[in-house]
Amino acid sequence: MSEANDATDQPTSEKLVELAKRRGYFFQSSGAYGGVGGFYTFGPQGASLKGNVEDAWRDRFAVAEGNMEIDAPTIMPEPVFEASGHLEGFDDMLIECPECGESSRADHVVEDNTEYEDAESLPIPEVEEVIAEYELVCPACGAGLAGQAVETFNLMFDTNIGPGDSQPGYLRPETAQGIFVEFPRLKEYARNQLPFGVTQIGRAYRNEISPRRSIIRTREFTQAELEYFVDPEEDEPPLERVEDVEVRLYPVSEQNDEDGAEIETTIGAAVEEGIIGDAWVAYFLGIAKPWYEAVGVDMDRFRFRQHLSGERAHYAADCWDAESEIDGNWIEMAGFANRTDYDLSKHEEYSEDRFTVFKQYDEPKTVERATVDPDMSFLGPEFGGAAQDVVAELEALAERDRSAFEGDSVEIELEGETHELPVEKTGFSVDEETIAGEHVTPHVIEPSFGVDRVVYTVLHHAYSEDEVDGEERTYLELDPEVAPTFVGVFPLQSDDELEAVANDVVDDLREAGLSITYDDSGNIGRRYRRQDEVGTPFCVTIDYETVEAEETTVTVRERDSTDQKRLSVDDLAETLAAIRNGDREFEAL
Ligand code: GAP
């Protein structure tokens, strides 16, 4: 990163948003119609950078880990979200301004204007009290918000599937549900063997109350999620692969301590010392840290922070966020949660399919099983149409608590009423049975990445300013792995001979698999500046020496140092491809 980075007082975010629009990274969508908050279009450079980040994620979290990838629909029917709990609990706190009608997130109003850092975890009455106590005001018009009711607002976008309103549906608020609902089929593809992982990169939708900070909080965004299904009794992560990875951690204990601080440690030590309680979560943090580094996140501005208990999602037992520092604030780029068996158990309960894996024992086992065989000639007259419900209750009770059948009578609950039955009429017995295995509900470990926030962080951390030949320069110090273009090719002037060589160079470099931009407009300095601003690592200029000298050579200029070297055209493609793959270094040429 250039030392001259952030040379002016204007925050980098503001300069970046301006550059992003000018150079085709991202801009607010539907501008011709006034634009609408929370929706962004990635321009040619942005779409390419985002695609490269997604490819890098796929390589690491799907391919290298041997996980499957799927691509599920973004609209799902209502029962899915009844089961997942999103219909009931996927809410934010909404406060409406009594003067201008502007809707704001009540917890953000509190966090932005008081010392509270985690207002999301406070109960609503307490948020209302804080707003009154601090006399907080509407961020839009400055009118007082004290006394205004804070309400819950469900973040899901709803729609109707097909004509009419008989089948309500929702745009998925997380890609994860598309994986969970297909578990009965996916486990077959995994040959019913735990552990296994399923990834998905795709759009998620949240009707955010106050989308903000450009692509950091939007209403439509891309997630890259891995749902890793494990046997909670048996499966252990291969921690030895990541135990030496160095990490900066900010656990709950340090956050709650007035003098608390981030801890620099390794994944292995953090697990051994109980700083990270869940070894699976630790394993994925250990994979994620070098991945973020490889795509260009500045490791001096990166940490993992554990969720405070009130902050955790309704499904999570433990959760750590990957956070990046942006203009002095930490933003969440990903969450690493242990979702336990919450989702699969819920879908098993609400759907008609099985969300378990049959675990075969090495040797069949003999077990005792409590069963009932009720006397229907007794239950029929006694319970009429409800007799089958009584049978189901007795079966469940026998499995749950066989001691309930120890006396002469047994009690069951049916629609809120208690009924007493003679045990002899239930046909209760305990028999020995040989079983080959058991049905296990897997637990889910979930690394969930926000792709847009990675793109934003990479751009923000790459944003640099310096002075070249007495002129101020802005450049993006993007890693070659993600930069939209690897080489800009320029003929020095509009000249048939120079252009012919330049076109040959373009063909050669493209054939070597490099992404190329050809630019023949404006003076050479302007062309360098353009490529610097989009973060192109190298520029190749074809000049008169190229066509006049005995050996055909070109000038290759490196973005960050602006150093130039003359290289032979014959091995240009091979050399640049080697640099792209990390096998050679420009300085050493
Ligand atoms: N399946 C788990 C899940 O969705 P989350 O913490 O709500 O967890 C995961 O979201 C990631 O998605 C976040 O860490 C963030 O990077 C990204 N994300 C969430 N809401 C977003 C929004 N409104 N705009 C952009 N990215 C968002």
Side-chain angles (χ1 to χ4, degrees), residues 25 44-57 291-297 454-455 457-459 462 476-486 515 534-537 559 580:
Y25 270 102
Q45 308 295 345
S48 173
L49 169 60
K50 181 166 173 274
N52 291 343
V53 168
E54 289 170 8
D55 287 347
W57 191 91
W291 182 81
Y292 278 117
E293 192 168 9
V295 296
V297 174
V454 179
V455 168
T457 298
V458 165
L459 286 171
L476 294 180
E477 225 179 294
L478 290 177
D479 193 280
E481 176 152 1
V482 294
T485 304
F486 186 61
S515 59
V534 294
T536 304
R559 176 196 59 205
R580 166 77 180 76

Side-chain angles (χ1 to χ4, degrees), residues 90 173-176 206 208 215-223 225 227 307 315 321 332-335 339 446 448-453:
F90 197 59
E174 55 170 359
T175 62
R206 296 182 190 177
E208 297 285 354
I215 58 171
I216 292 178
R217 185 175 298 281
T218 55
R219 290 179 165 134
E220 174 173 351
F221 52 97
T222 301
Q223 289 187 319
E225 299 201 292
E227 308 304 325
H307 275 204
Y315 47 72
D321 283 346
E332 171 195 339
M333 288 191 293
R339 292 180 77 131
E446 179 195 64
S448 169
F449 287 62
V451 174
D452 310 68
R453 291 187 186 180

Side-chain angles (χ1 to χ4, degrees), residues 35-114:
V36 52
F39 294 93
Y40 277 79
T41 294
F42 285 94
Q45 308 295 345
S48 173
L49 169 60
K50 181 166 173 274
N52 291 343
V53 168
E54 289 170 8
D55 287 347
W57 191 91
R58 178 176 288 111
D59 283 350
R60 187 63 194 90
F61 288 89
V63 181
E65 289 295 299
N67 296 322
M68 304 183 252
E69 180 174 359
I70 69 161
D71 185 5
T74 56
I75 294 179
M76 302 175 87
E78 187 168 69
V80 169
F81 299 110
E82 267 165 11
S84 70
H86 285 90
L87 213 49
E88 184 65 27
F90 197 59
D91 302 323
D92 273 346
M93 293 183 216
L94 170 78
I95 188 160
E96 228 173 77
C97 174
E99 289 295 322
C100 71
E102 176 82 6
S103 299
S104 304
R105 256 184 81 166
D107 51 326
H108 285 174
V109 172
V110 169
E111 283 166 13
D112 291 349
N113 300 291
T114 70

Side-chain angles (χ1 to χ4, degrees), residues 356-542:
T356 54
V357 168
F358 187 72
K359 186 165 91 177
Q360 190 108 19
Y361 299 137
D362 294 339
E363 300 268 314
K365 279 187 193 168
T366 303
V367 293
E368 281 189 343
R369 171 145 298 160
T371 56
V372 291
D373 183 13
D375 179 352
M376 295 310 283
S377 66
F378 170 78
L379 290 192
E382 195 77 7
F383 291 95
Q388 282 308 330
D389 296 338
V390 175
V391 173
E393 273 303 308
L394 286 170
E395 282 171 350
L397 184 60
E399 217 172 286
R400 199 169 64 234
D401 178 17
R402 60 179 73 163
S403 68
F405 294 82
E406 276 169 5
D408 292 338
S409 61
V410 56
E411 277 185 3
I412 56 160
E413 291 278 333
L414 207 58
E415 291 182 351
E417 269 187 48
T418 306
H419 300 270
E420 202 167 302
L421 284 87
V423 168
E424 60 176 5
K425 300 290 183 194
T426 66
F428 175 79
S429 67
V430 178
D431 305 304
E432 281 200 342
E433 208 181 303
T434 303
I435 54 169
E438 65 182 305
H439 288 276
V440 171
T441 306
H443 282 209
V444 176
I445 317 300
E446 179 195 64
S448 169
F449 287 62
V451 174
D452 310 68
R453 291 187 186 180
V454 179
V455 168
Y456 187 88
T457 298
V458 165
L459 286 171
H460 195 283
H461 289 188
Y463 188 95
S464 306
E465 292 168 345
D466 64 0
E467 220 178 80
V468 175
D469 301 332
E471 260 185 53
E472 275 185 15
R473 172 178 83 129
T474 300
Y475 64 107
L476 294 180
E477 225 179 294
L478 290 177
D479 193 280
E481 176 152 1
V482 294
T485 304
F486 186 61
V487 188
V489 178
F490 316 146
L492 183 67
Q493 284 181 1
S494 177
D495 176 304
D496 288 350
E497 214 180 345
L498 298 184
E499 283 167 4
V501 180
N503 281 319
D504 287 346
V505 167
V506 167
D507 289 346
D508 277 0
L509 297 183
R510 286 211 172 114
E511 214 166 288
L514 302 175
S515 59
I516 308 300
T517 287
Y518 179 85
D519 188 356
D520 59 4
S521 62
N523 75 45
I524 199 76
R526 300 256 310 254
R527 282 184 260 172
Y528 282 144
R529 295 291 178 278
R530 260 202 296 271
Q531 292 310 313
D532 287 343
E533 277 205 333
V534 294
T536 304
F538 294 98
C539 290
V540 169
T541 302
I542 290 86

Side-chain angles (χ1 to χ4, degrees), residues 280-296:
W280 277 108
V281 168
Y283 175 67
F284 288 114
L285 298 186
I287 292 183
K289 149 96 193 282
W291 182 81
Y292 278 117
E293 192 168 9
V295 296

